[in-house]
């Protein structure tokens, strides 16, 4: 697949991934495989739609047309068999921003919010920055696969948790939660009157035979207590355009979120974010299917390389996302010492696992959403660093 094998120079394009290395890692002579954006060009249909709109030349205030919402509804129906209504959809610049909206709308200062660790670090930040209390339900690693500790989950809900933030597919461990797992989580949240915010930003990046199921689609009772956050950003590599959506079937919850958005005068997405979102969901499916094949090959290549060439560490096989979670605990190194080896010896920038909570210490996260040549280079650097 030549379109994904092509290296595209990103230095000098205001890329955080490629241009913030010196700030984050102390040097800029590293191969960056840390931030979760891909090194692939987005689908040409998105670029063409943006160029067409740009040539118009007038960029006044805008609003989303019915076509935008219809494209989202069609996408969710086709890929997840979930029928949405247009008024359920609220825009947000990004999923992290959506988490902030939901936390402010559904909880009060001092309330407890439950997360499953290790988990995407902004979960912690949004809870703490809004003066809520982080409650952790640590995931359990058994035979190379993460599982949910349901006894602990229920105990934490009993303690007075008001909101549960689900990550599905899970970042960084790569789990795609099964129907029975989601049903059990949902039943317990319903039993203890905890609302759910489901971060499903990686929902389209799923490896066969796994299947993504939106937790809100499982039943009417779960639909009523869940806010689902989706975006084309990870799927089509357009996070810099800042366009995402919150799916909120419950009218009361929706009104509360709209009230929070009103307080900061957020009224909608920018013109190019809307254009890209609509083009992605209307025309991006064939590109996505090719991407998934490429990413699955990358995943399998990386897993085999690490098993054969770096047997001192263990990579967790992701069921979804383009992120590889690597267990380096057998090396007996602190996160700082591990980072030093990677940077100074391997010239490689990976995400330190401790960033995702204490349960992630001794792990690193590698972004494999890149041309095979970069992946091969990164794996060689990883081997050099750890040899």
């Amino acid at each position: 697949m030549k379109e994904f094998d092509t290296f595209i120079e990103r230095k000098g394009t205001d890329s955080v991934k490629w241009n913030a290395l010196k700030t984050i890692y102390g040097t800029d002579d590293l191969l960056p495989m840390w931030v979760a954006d891909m090194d692939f060009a987005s689908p040409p249909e998105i670029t063409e739609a943006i160029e067409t709109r740009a040539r118009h030349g007038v960029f006044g205030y805008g609003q989303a047309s019915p076509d935008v919402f219809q494209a989202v509804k069609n996408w969710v129906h086709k890929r997840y068999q979930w029928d949405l209504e247009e008024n359920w959809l609220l825009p947000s610049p990004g999923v992290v921003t959506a988490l902030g909206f939901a936390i402010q709308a559904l909880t009060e200062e001092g309330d407890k919010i439950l997360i499953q660790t290790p988990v995407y670090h902004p979960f912690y930040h949004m809870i703490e920055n809004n003066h809520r209390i982080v409650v952790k339900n640590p995931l359990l690693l058994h035979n190379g696969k993460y599982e949910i500790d349901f006894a602990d989950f229920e105990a934490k809900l009993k303690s007075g948790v008001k909101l549960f933030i689900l990550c599905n597919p899970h970042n960084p461990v790569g789990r795609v939660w099964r129907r029975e797992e989601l049903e059990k989580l949902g039943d317990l949240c319903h039993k203890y009157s905890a609302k759910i915010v489901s971060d499903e930003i990686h929902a389209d990046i799923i490896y066969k035979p796994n299947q993504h199921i939106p937790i809100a689609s499982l039943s009417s009772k779960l639909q009523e207590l869940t806010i689902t956050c989706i975006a084309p950003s990870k799927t089509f590599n357009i996070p810099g355009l800042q366009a995402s959506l919150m799916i909120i079937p419950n009218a009361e919850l929706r009104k509360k979120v709209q009230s929070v958005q009103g307080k900061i005068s957020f009224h909608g997405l920018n013109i190019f974010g809307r254009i890209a979102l609509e083009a992605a969901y209307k025309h991006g499916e064939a590109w996505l299917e090719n991407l998934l094949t490429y990413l699955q090959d990358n995943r399998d290549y990386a897993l085999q390389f690490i098993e054969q060439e770096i047997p001192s560490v263990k990579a967790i096989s992701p069921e979804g996302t383009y992120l590889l979670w690597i267990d380096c605990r057998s090396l007996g190194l602190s996160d700082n010492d591990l980072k030093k080896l990677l940077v100074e010896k391997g010239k490689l920038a990976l995400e330190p696992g401790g960033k995702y909570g204490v349960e992630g210490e001794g792990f690193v996260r590698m972004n494999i959403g890149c041309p095979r040549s970069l992946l091969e280079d990164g794996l060689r650097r990883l081997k050099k660093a750890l040899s």
Side-chain angles (χ1 to χ4, degrees), residues 267-280:
H267 300 295
L269 305 178
N270 72 77
I271 290 171
F272 294 112
R274 286 198 308 272
I275 291 290
L277 183 147
E278 181 181 353

Side-chain angles (χ1 to χ4, degrees), residues 93-364:
V95 167
V96 175
T97 307
L99 296 180
F101 289 149
I103 286 168
Q104 292 183 24
L106 305 184
T107 64
E108 303 291 338
E109 289 192 10
D111 281 348
K112 295 178 178 180
I113 299 179
L114 182 62
I115 57 177
Q116 294 178 309
T117 55
V119 75
Y120 185 46
H121 49 91
F123 283 21
Y124 298 90
H125 301 159
M126 295 311 297
I127 295 168
E128 293 166 346
N129 291 347
N130 283 287
H131 308 293
R132 275 66 167 172
I133 298 170
V134 173
V135 178
K136 299 193 295 184
N137 168 228
L139 299 172
L140 305 174
L141 182 56
H142 286 153
N143 299 319
K145 185 174 181 177
Y146 279 89
E147 299 174 356
I148 297 168
D149 184 342
F150 282 103
D152 179 75
F153 186 83
E154 183 168 12
K156 298 295 172 56
L157 287 176
K158 282 182 180 179
S159 74
V161 164
K162 299 296 184 183
L163 181 67
F164 165 48
I165 303 180
L166 172 66
C167 195
N168 184 33
H170 193 283
N171 174 12
V173 310
R175 272 302 312 276
V176 175
W177 302 115
R178 306 285 185 266
R179 177 180 295 271
E180 56 271 19
E181 293 170 316
L182 294 170
E183 287 175 340
K184 197 166 183 178
L185 290 172
D187 287 344
L188 287 169
C189 287
H190 184 262
K191 179 179 178 180
Y192 293 101
S193 300
K195 300 295 190 296
I196 301 171
V197 175
S198 187
D199 173 0
E200 302 186 10
I201 196 170
H202 289 100
D204 299 315
I205 310 294
I206 306 291
Y207 303 119
K208 296 176 181 178
N210 303 288
Q211 180 184 8
H212 176 74
I213 302 172
I215 191 170
S217 71
L218 291 173
S219 68
S220 57
K221 70 179 182 183
L222 291 181
Q223 195 164 267
E224 287 300 301
L225 58 83
T226 301
I227 293 176
T228 305
C229 303
I230 64 169
S233 53
K234 302 297 184 186
T235 309
F236 300 103
N237 206 32
I238 52 173
L241 293 175
Q242 298 192 320
S244 76
L245 290 160
M246 310 172 75
I247 304 170
I248 315 178
N250 183 310
E252 182 182 352
L253 301 187
R254 194 164 61 246
K255 187 175 180 180
K256 288 181 178 180
V257 172
Q258 288 173 313
S259 176
V260 169
Q261 291 181 325
K263 288 177 182 177
I264 62 167
S265 196
F266 173 74
H267 300 295
L269 305 178
N270 72 77
I271 290 171
F272 294 112
R274 286 198 308 272
I275 291 290
L277 183 147
E278 181 181 353
Y281 287 142
K282 275 187 174 179
H283 307 296
E285 188 169 42
W287 181 92
L288 173 59
E289 292 304 322
N290 289 333
L291 170 71
L292 291 174
T293 299
Y294 195 91
L295 288 177
Q296 188 153 348
D297 287 345
N298 268 4
R299 179 199 67 172
D300 294 345
Y301 177 85
L303 291 172
Q304 183 179 36
F305 183 97
I306 290 171
E307 181 179 11
Q308 294 178 354
E309 303 292 333
I310 324 174
S312 57
V313 302
K314 304 294 181 186
I316 309 300
S317 180
E319 299 169 340
T321 81
Y322 47 79
L323 306 168
L324 194 62
W325 188 236
I326 305 171
D327 185 352
C328 304
R329 291 175 297 173
S330 63
L331 302 176
L333 299 171
S334 68
D335 272 12
N336 284 336
D337 288 340
L338 184 56
K339 179 180 176 181
K340 188 175 181 181
L341 272 180
L342 292 168
V343 170
E344 295 181 3
K345 191 176 177 184
K347 297 297 180 181
L348 180 64
L350 301 183
E351 286 272 45
K355 195 171 182 177
Y356 304 90
V358 294
E359 298 83 4
E361 291 178 358
F363 291 77
V364 291

Side-chain angles (χ1 to χ4, degrees), residues 6-25 27-40 237 347-349 367 369-371 373-375 377-378 381:
T6 302
F7 171 75
I8 301 172
E9 179 60 71
R10 298 184 64 192
K11 291 179 181 178
T13 63
D14 297 328
S15 163
V16 170
K17 184 178 186 179
W18 286 83
N19 284 70
L21 289 169
K22 193 170 184 64
T23 301
I24 304 299
Y25 293 90
T27 181
D28 57 7
D29 60 343
L30 310 178
L31 178 64
M33 302 183 79
W34 59 300
V35 174
D37 71 8
M38 296 185 287
D39 291 306
F40 304 130
N237 206 32
K347 297 297 180 181
L348 180 64
N367 179 348
C370 58
S373 59
L374 286 187
L375 177 60
D377 187 12
R381 291 169 186 245

